[in-house]
Structures are given as C-alpha cells and as structure tokens.
Amino acid sequence: MIGPEKNALTPHEVEIDIEVVSAPLEAIAAALGPGGIAGARSAGRWAGLVEEARRLFRRHAAPRGLLAEISTDQFAALYQGDGHNAPETPLGEIFPRAAHLALFAATIGAGVHRALDELFAGHEFPLAILLDAAASEGADRAGEAVARHYREQLEARRIEAGESPGGRDAGVRDAGVRDTVVRDAGVRDAVARGGPGTPVPLACLRYSPGYCGWNISGQRALFAALKPERIGITLRPSMLMEPLKSVSGVVVGGRPEIHRFADRYPFCADCRTHGCRERIRKVLESGSGGRA
Amino acid sequence: MSILEQISAELQRGEEERVGELTRQAIAEGLAPQQILDQGLIGGMNVIGEQFRDHEIFLPDVLLAARAMYAGMDELRPLLIKEGIPTSGKVVIGTVQGDLHDIGKNLVGIMLRGAGFEVIDLGKDVTPDRFVTAAEESGAQVIGMSALLTTTMPVMKQVIGLLEEKGLKGKVRTVIGGAPLSEDFARQIGADAYAFDGANAIDRVKALVG
Ligand code: B1M
C-alpha cells in the first residue's frame, strides 16, 4: 500500500493508560527550568514533593486520545487552513512524501486544572508548579501514545496483509516486523544495505499547528475534520484548546528519511529550542521522536 | 541574631512553619507589623529575588521561600489591614482574554507579592474591560498582562487602547510578559514595559511605580 488510504477519516478513540502519561521524576524536575531540582539549594526536600505531584496527577488526570486517518489530498486541503501558514514549511514538504497520515488530538482532561486552582489558592506553590509540569508532560505523552498506537496499527495491518513494513516492498512476508527500526541493530543493518526483501522501516512523527510555520489558525480546519469534542476537547475562537493540557496535529508515517529537514526556514531564526534536531535524530534512530 | 533576621533567614530556607512561628512570636513581642513585614518577610524575599536573578538559586528555592512568606503573611495580614499599612504598590494581573495559560502569570504574581506588592489576580481569560475596571476600582498603579499565544497577544493592545480612551494611560502603567512576546512588541502596542520572567517583572514594576 503506497500513500495514505482513500477511505480516511473514521475517527476512533485511543485508550491511554494513566501510567503511560505519568512522567518520571526527571522529566517533571526538568520543567522547573535551568538547574531543575538537582541544582537547587533545597533539592533534598523535593523528591517527596515530586512523588506527591505524581500521585495527584494519577488521581486527577483522565487521558483520552483520538485518531483519524486522512488521505494526502484531504490533508493537503486541510493544511491550507485559513491561509496563514509560512510560504514554505517542513510539513508542507514532508506530508506529500508520507505513506500514512492521521489527524490526532489528546488530552489529560480538566480534572487536573481544578486541582491546580485549589493548590494555588491554598498557596501550595511547590506542589502546584510540579503538578502543572506533570500535566504538561502528561499531555505531550498522551500525544505520543496516540502516535505510537497508530504506528502499531500500521505495522499490524501490514503483517496481516503480508507486506513488509514501510510499504515499499509490498508482498514480502516478514514476521516480527513490529519493531523494525527500534533497537534491532541487525534489522538496521539490513535496512542500510537495502535490497529485495529488506524490511523497510516505518517512522511516525507528530506535527502540530502552532509549530514550524503551520499557523495555529490551522486548528480550525483540524477540529472541523477530527471533531475532538467527542473526547472532551473544545476549541476557542483564540485557537486555544480547552482543557489547556491538550495537544493536536497530524501523525506522519513513512520512511524515516522523509522527516529530515534543515532548520533554515525564516521562522527557524525565532525558534529558541531547535528541538526538531533532536526529534529528527530520534526518528532516524528509533522510528518515533515526539512532536514537531 | 534578631528575631527579624531569623524570620528572613528561615524564609530564605523555605521553612514555612518556622516563619509562621517566628512571625507570631514577633507580634507577641510587640514589634511593629510594618517592621516585621519589611525587615523580616520582604527582606528575606528580596534576598531570594536577587539570588534568583543572579542565578545563584533556582525556581524550587523561590517556591519554597514564597510558601514560607505566605505563612508569615497569614499571621500578619489582620494587623496590616487593621493599621492600614500601605504596600509597595498595587498591581492588577491576569492572563488575557482567550488565553488560559496561567502558570507563568502565577509565578509572576508570587514574585511580586514577595516583593511587597499588593497583587490583584484576575485569573485567566480576562477581558480588557475587567483589567481596566479592576485597576480603576482598586487604584492599582500597574496592570500586568500575560499571553502565551500569538492569537491572544492583540488583546494587550485593546487594554492599552481602553486605558487611553478612559484617560488613564500614564496613570495606570502596563507591563506585559509571556513566551511569544518581546520588548519590540511592547513598544509597538504602547505598553510601558516588557518582562521576561518573574524576577525581571519585579524590577520593571518597581521602575514603573517608583
Ligand atoms: C505581567 O507581566 C508578566 C511578566 C512576565 C511574564 C508574564 C507576565 N507572563 C509570563 N511571563 C514570563 O515569566 C514566566 C516565568 O518565568 C514565564 O511564563 P511562561 O508561561 O512563558 O513559562 C512557564 C512558567 C513555563 N512555560 C510553559 O508552560 C509553556 C512552555 C511551552 C513549551 C509549551 C508547553 C509546555 C505546552 N504546550 Co504549547 N507550549 C508552548 C511553550 C513554548 C515556550 N517556550 O514557552 C507554546 C505556548 N505552545 C504552543 C503551541 C502551538 C501549542 N501548545 C500546546 C500544548 C502544550 C502542552 C499541553 C504540551 C504544554 C502545556 C502548556 C501549559 N503552559 O500549560 C497546544 C495548545 C494547547 C491548548 N490548550 O490549546 C499547541 C497549540 C500545540 C498543539 N497544536 O497541540 C506555541 C504557541 C505558538 C503560537 N503561535 O501562539 C508555543 C509558544 C510553543 C512554540 N511554538 O514555540 C515568562 O514568559
């Protein structure tokens, strides 16, 4: 199968386990800015607070995800959005080369926000900041869980159809390909050598409105197509999603190389993190790399 | 070490219970509430603010100190109100209409309170009218606005426009902050100041009310 399916846009909810979106201590600590917790004078008192924040997160978070496949043509129209994208964007070049596209939205729900408001009102600032960090991280992990689910679906579908992963060498039966690129050096070598019967790696990466030249107003078209309201996410006129700890975008699946781009677009000059570099590195290595 | 120095030191260590206890003790010993506030609580928070600005300490230390400061303030507040003791200044803060990103705004509020300002926090999704009305009603000298989305930044200009319309521009000063904002944007919309973080917001607000 080459190119995203024609019979696209049948959204389905993705189950997300709370443990999958519960960030580890280091990830929460990192959100506290330079120095994190380790650098702080009061470092010794924070391990307990982080544990408490993680406990509160598990109690109040209700992760939900939504996924809908979309064809290249449908996505091309959707990507136009309100016409405010940068003239040239990485995603604009990447999606036409994709083998699979799926719109997604994910949230960790409104419960955490109520807990946060209470903590701030009670002047429990340390816990409030930690819970907020856990929730931000959780929303991102929920997005990642949906992307991972899509990749697993694609891999399973190919095994069923007797195709090798990546779609290029259709018809080549290859059991055990669910994790082609991941950690399997033998497979990676085989991919590098190429040749018939080679398992073709499938790499899925998220791209979101508001990043890398995809104007945030693109949320309008995305919401019209995906309808994340069905998992409790609404869009405000300002393009902000409610609950706040939510993410949206498109999962792009294909050969890892399609995700490679140079950060030389005009808007890259304003980017403070250039996090795309790390994501591209990861996707080339392991087939998933977070959001761009 | 005097009791005020002890309050300041314990606050800097983030020992909220000790700060509460010592503040009660200072009140019982008959020290003036203004003195406890200025030399004990705000004195301690000023040190924290400076150390944070100079990257000697990090956000976790500031948060524990701020919680300790509130423990002292809870003891002191009834007396401050009774004696009508003025604060360093009044600031109305909020996240602008359409935006719900409030963690940055909350941090700024914590830091400003720590520096002795009375902060009237309107929360998130605040309309221009609510900002201006709150400033008028409370007599605040500064409105602080936060936005994290490019789509909500224009609301800041509307607030400044409304201040102009009501003849309050210049009397009520404005400071803005949030990840997508810049000094340039502040100039473009006629805001009086831009602050990149909480410690910087203290400096900017002090300059505006000073
Ligand atoms: C009054 O005076 C003052 C003075 C100083 C003031 C002030 C007021 N207000 C703030 N300050 C300053 O002092 C504070 C303390 O130091 C600072 O406050 P901040 O609020 O900036 O800092 C906080 C303490 C920590 N910072 C943050 O919490 C925001 C960090 C970044 C990386 C970020 C995060 C973590 C998240 N996000 Co996202 N997120 C980004 C952010 C990029 C960035 N570098 O800031 C931003 C805001 N997000 C963006 C986007 C696009 C999105 N996000 C989304 C989702 C998320 C997460 C849920 C994963 C997570 C949670 C966000 C949250 N805050 O709850 C989506 C939208 C969510 C929604 N509900 O609609 C989504 C739309 C992506 C998507 N399609 O899924 C971008 C907005 C771009 C735009 N065009 O407007 C963005 C700028 C990233 C980017 N592209 O660089 C200073 O700014």
Side-chain angles (χ1 to χ4, degrees):
Chain A
M1 180 193 58
I2 295 172
E5 292 191 57
K6 291 271 179 292
N7 61 339
L9 279 173
T10 337
H12 70 271
E13 191 166 345
V14 179
E15 245 176 65
I16 305 173
D17 190 284
I18 189 78
E19 287 309 319
V20 170
V21 294
S22 294
L25 186 141
E26 311 77 56
I28 298 174
L32 288 182
I37 287 174
R41 205 158 56 188
S42 54
R45 290 157 64 186
W46 282 78
L49 283 166
V50 176
E51 257 331 299
E52 174 65 4
R54 297 184 73 219
R55 198 185 56 74
L56 284 174
F57 175 79
R58 283 202 205 90
R59 188 158 101 211
H60 295 286
R64 294 182 80 180
L66 189 66
L67 190 70
E69 279 202 297
I70 183 168
S71 70
T72 312
D73 288 348
Q74 282 170 319
F75 187 74
L78 185 150
Y79 190 56
Q80 296 297 314
D82 293 356
H84 298 305
N85 292 348
E88 287 178 355
T89 65
L91 183 56
E93 288 167 32
I94 291 165
F95 84 78
R97 303 199 294 255
H100 310 276
L101 297 167
L103 302 179
F104 79 94
T107 184
I108 53 122
V112 166
H113 293 285
R114 287 190 287 273
L116 278 171
D117 287 345
E118 272 172 32
L119 287 174
F120 270 112
H123 304 153
E124 281 298 337
F125 309 127
L127 210 45
I129 298 287
L130 290 172
L131 179 58
D132 187 272
S136 292
E137 192 58 37
D140 202 47
R141 280 164 191 258
E144 196 50 32
V146 175
R148 206 166 36 242
H149 166 87
Y150 184 47
R151 181 164 169 230
E152 283 166 6
Q153 258 193 348
L154 293 175
E155 302 276 23
R157 217 189 274 168
R158 284 172 179 170
I159 292 169
E160 235 170 65
E163 295 175 5
S164 73
R168 194 185 60 176
D169 305 341
V172 179
R173 191 167 286 279
D174 188 337
V177 291
R178 288 180 73 82
D179 232 357
T180 26
V181 214
V182 201
R183 291 171 292 272
D184 186 336
V187 173
R188 223 181 298 141
D189 288 350
V191 170
R193 277 196 309 275
T198 304
V200 178
L202 171 68
C204 289
L205 195 63
R206 287 176 291 144
Y207 296 81
S208 290
Y211 282 90
C212 304
W214 186 2
N215 193 275
I216 196 165
S217 58
Q219 290 276 58
R220 210 190 318 268
L222 195 152
F223 265 65
L226 181 64
K227 303 194 175 40
E229 294 81 2
R230 65 187 99 204
I231 58 162
I233 308 177
T234 54
L235 187 67
R236 292 182 155 224
S238 63
M239 300 300 135
L240 183 109
M241 291 180 279
E242 226 174 325
L244 183 60
K245 307 294 182 185
S246 303
V247 291
S248 64
V250 62
V251 186
V252 178
R255 299 174 61 87
E257 303 80 57
I258 67 165
H259 297 288
R260 207 197 287 265
F261 65 89
D263 60 345
R264 270 191 252 107
Y265 293 85
F267 46 80
C268 298
D270 300 327
C271 178
R272 293 180 197 180
T273 62
H274 297 271
C276 59
R277 299 301 94 196
E278 178 62 8
R279 280 193 293 271
I280 292 171
R281 192 189 61 73
K282 272 198 203 157
V283 89
L284 291 175
E285 254 177 27
S286 71
S288 68
R291 182 249 330 108
Chain B
M1 205 190 270
S2 75
I3 188 157
L4 294 178
E5 285 166 341
Q6 281 180 60
I7 292 176
S8 167
E10 295 291 357
L11 182 145
Q12 289 171 49
R13 276 197 284 274
E15 296 292 347
E16 65 170 334
E17 277 174 27
R18 281 295 290 148
V19 171
E21 269 166 37
L22 286 165
T23 307
R24 272 196 301 278
Q25 192 185 324
I27 296 168
E29 285 176 12
L31 269 76
Q34 175 91 62
Q35 212 186 353
I36 304 174
L37 179 70
D38 289 347
Q39 292 170 35
L41 301 176
I42 296 180
M45 271 315 275
N46 279 345
V47 176
I48 286 286
E50 281 160 23
Q51 290 177 339
F52 182 58
R53 196 187 48 209
D54 297 341
H55 309 292
E56 286 169 26
I57 58 168
F58 297 106
L59 187 58
D61 305 312
V62 178
L63 295 172
L64 288 180
R67 189 174 64 173
M69 156 126 187
Y70 274 80
M73 281 300 282
D74 286 346
E75 304 296 335
L76 216 49
R77 194 169 296 112
L79 296 175
L80 295 173
I81 293 170
K82 203 165 117 200
E83 298 189 10
I85 292 168
T87 54
S88 312
K90 268 189 207 170
V91 187
V92 165
I93 62 166
T95 300
V96 298
Q97 184 174 22
D99 213 331
L100 300 175
H101 287 94
D102 63 350
I103 197 76
K105 179 267 299 171
N106 289 342
L107 282 174
V108 169
I110 292 169
M111 299 288 283
L112 286 173
R113 284 194 180 104
F117 288 95
E118 183 184 340
V119 175
I120 299 149
D121 188 344
L122 302 178
K124 44 205 169 195
D125 199 14
V126 180
T127 61
D129 190 54
R130 272 188 68 214
F131 270 116
V132 175
T133 308
E136 273 178 310
E137 287 175 1
S138 64
Q141 298 103 315
V142 178
I143 291 178
M145 294 174 268
S146 180
L148 264 278
L149 294 177
T150 43
T151 47
T152 54
M153 285 159 55
V155 178
M156 297 176 159
K157 190 164 184 213
Q158 291 172 26
V159 174
I160 293 164
L162 195 56
L163 284 173
E164 251 160 15
E165 222 176 281
K166 294 197 164 189
L168 292 169
K169 181 127 199 318
K171 282 187 210 130
V172 179
R173 318 296 297 278
T174 47
V175 56
I176 61 169
L181 276 60
S182 63
E183 203 87 56
D184 250 10
F185 178 73
R187 248 193 312 274
Q188 270 171 39
I189 64 165
D192 295 300
Y194 159 73
F196 55 82
D197 70 6
N200 189 228
I202 296 176
D203 293 344
R204 296 307 174 110
V205 170
K206 276 185 179 163
L208 291 178
V209 300

